[in-house]
Amino acid sequence: MTKRSRATAAALVATCFAALLLAVPAAAAPKPRPMRSPAPAGSAEPNLTVGARGLVLSWIAHGETQKSLQYAVLEGAAWSEPRTVVESPDLLANWADFPSVVQLPGGSYIAHWLRKRPGGRYAYDALIAPSADGVSWPAGRTA
């Protein structure tokens, strides 16, 4: 890419960004407000998704001997009570590989997580599970 092409591309991106900012009236933009996280202290690997009925926040909660994939749904101005998808000492998560819970268009849910496997430092399986109501979750199946 030539120097002129880069400058043209940068100008185009800046113009599009400015147009987007001007297209949304300031009164229509929601004002940020502080909220208490539904995740317990010591939780890690948060993931925020947009579902059919609102925002879904998932995380890994660390217990004394178990880890659990949990989530809550933003209902109006408050988070729902946390729900547990799976609990296991073998849950794996790090900055690059973390679980998620997604609400599908019909209101059902699907979750995925990683499970450590014997045989090596980086050996793990990806599991997936659906839930019709977000409360009852079957055992995960290898993806």
Side-chain angles (χ1 to χ4, degrees), residues 40 61 109 111 114 123 142:
Y109 292 82
L114 304 175
T142 306

Side-chain angles (χ1 to χ4, degrees), residues 13-112:
V13 168
T15 302
C16 290
F17 183 70
L20 284 172
L21 288 176
L22 295 173
V24 177
K31 295 187 188 236
R33 58 184 163 71
M35 295 183 76
R36 190 176 302 262
S37 172
S43 296
E45 287 75 44
N47 189 36
L48 187 66
T49 61
V50 178
R53 297 184 185 132
L55 297 177
V56 178
L57 177 64
S58 60
W59 61 88
I60 295 284
H62 295 267
E64 288 186 31
T65 59
Q66 301 271 3
K67 295 177 187 173
S68 58
L69 170 56
Q70 298 181 338
Y71 77 99
V73 179
L74 186 61
E75 298 171 341
W79 291 103
S80 68
E81 287 297 314
R83 297 177 182 148
T84 300
V85 175
V86 63
E87 190 172 45
S88 169
D90 298 325
L91 283 179
L92 171 72
N94 58 44
W95 67 270
D97 302 307
F98 50 87
S100 67
V101 178
V102 177
Q103 189 179 54
L104 302 173
S108 61
Y109 292 82
I110 193 154
H112 95 281

